[in-house]
Amino acid sequence: MRTDDLIDQLAADPRPVRAGAVPRRFLGVAAAGALAALVLVLAWLGTRHDLMDAMAGRMFWMKAAYTALLGVAGFWALERLARPEGAPKKALLFGALVLAVFVGLGLGQWLAADGEHRRLMMMGGSWKVCCRNILALALPGLAATLIVLRGMAPTRPALTGFAAGAFAGGVAATVYGLHCGESTMVFVGTWYTLGVLGTGALGAVVGRWVLRW
C-alpha cells in the first residue's frame, strides 16, 4: 500500500493515542525479550562458571555496553519507523557509529597482538556457535516485536524488520554475555556483531512479508 493510501485509511478511523505509547510498547517488548533470552540461557546454555569474577572485570561490561547500545539503536529506529514517514536516519547513524567504534577498537587490539595470538583472539573457543546462539536467543523478542509492529503503521517493512532484528539481537546478545566467556574485543566485534546483524537480516526478510499493509 502506498503511504498516501495508508494515511487516508488511518484518517478515516482516527483513534486517540496516548503520548509515549509507542516507546512504552517497545520497552515492554525489550523486557519480555530479555526475560525470554535469560530463561533460555539458564535452561539451555547455562551461565559461565566464573560469572561473578567476570562481572568484576572491565571486558564483561564493555561487551554488555556494546550490544546494549546496538539494541538502543534498533529501539530508536523502531520508534521512528513505526510511524508513517518516520525518519530513522539519526538512529541508523548512531548504530553505525557504535559498531564502527567498537570494531575499530577490536581491530587495533588485533593489530597490536603478535601473530600467534591473533587467530585465538579472533576465533576464541566458540566462534562456530556464537552467531547461532545469539540468533536463537533473539527469536522470541523478534517475534514479539513484529507482532507489536503489526498494530502500528510502518511504511517500510524491510527496514522496519531489520531494525526489529537489531533491537531483538542487541537485547539477546547482552543476555548471552552471561554465558559466553570470550573476552577480546576482536571476538565480540566480529561474532557478536554478526549475530546481531544476522538477526536484523532475518527481521528484514520476515518484515517484508508480515509488515505489509
Side-chain angles (χ1 to χ4, degrees):
M1 178 181 289
R2 295 184 301 111
T3 301
D4 291 343
D5 294 335
L6 174 59
I7 293 173
D8 290 341
Q9 180 176 321
L10 293 173
D13 184 22
R15 299 176 185 177
V17 178
R18 292 182 180 180
V22 172
R24 283 197 298 271
R25 290 184 187 181
F26 288 133
L27 285 173
V29 170
L35 179 60
L38 178 60
V39 169
L40 284 172
V41 165
L42 296 176
W44 172 36
L45 300 172
T47 59
R48 52 188 295 182
H49 68 279
D50 62 343
L51 179 59
M52 297 308 296
D53 291 335
M55 291 179 69
R58 181 178 62 180
M59 190 58 202
F60 179 89
W61 296 107
M62 287 183 69
K63 283 199 301 185
Y66 172 57
T67 53
L69 286 174
L70 291 181
V72 168
F75 175 94
W76 186 3
L78 279 179
E79 198 274 336
R80 299 285 86 201
L81 288 165
R83 316 163 191 269
E85 300 300 325
K89 183 177 180 180
K90 290 182 180 179
L92 296 176
L93 288 175
F94 172 75
L97 177 62
V98 169
L99 188 154
V101 168
F102 196 92
V103 171
L105 290 173
L107 179 61
Q109 184 187 58
W110 186 79
L111 291 173
D114 55 69
E116 65 180 86
H117 289 116
R118 285 180 177 177
R119 186 179 185 281
L120 180 60
M121 292 171 65
M122 174 69 75
M123 302 301 183
S126 62
W127 70 273
K128 291 183 179 180
V129 300
C130 182
C131 298
R132 180 199 71 189
N133 288 345
I134 289 173
L135 176 59
L137 295 177
L139 288 178
L142 175 59
T145 304
L146 292 173
I147 289 170
V148 169
L149 285 166
R150 286 283 296 172
M152 297 183 182
T155 57
R156 284 172 280 183
L159 183 58
T160 305
F162 177 82
F167 172 50
V171 171
T174 304
V175 176
Y176 182 60
L178 298 173
H179 163 77
C180 177
E182 305 293 352
S183 58
T184 68
M185 288 185 287
V186 180
F187 184 96
V188 175
T190 302
W191 305 109
Y192 275 58
T193 301
L194 288 175
V196 174
L197 293 181
T199 309
L202 176 62
V205 172
V206 177
R208 290 190 66 179
W209 175 53
V210 303
L211 298 179
R212 287 183 178 179
W213 284 77

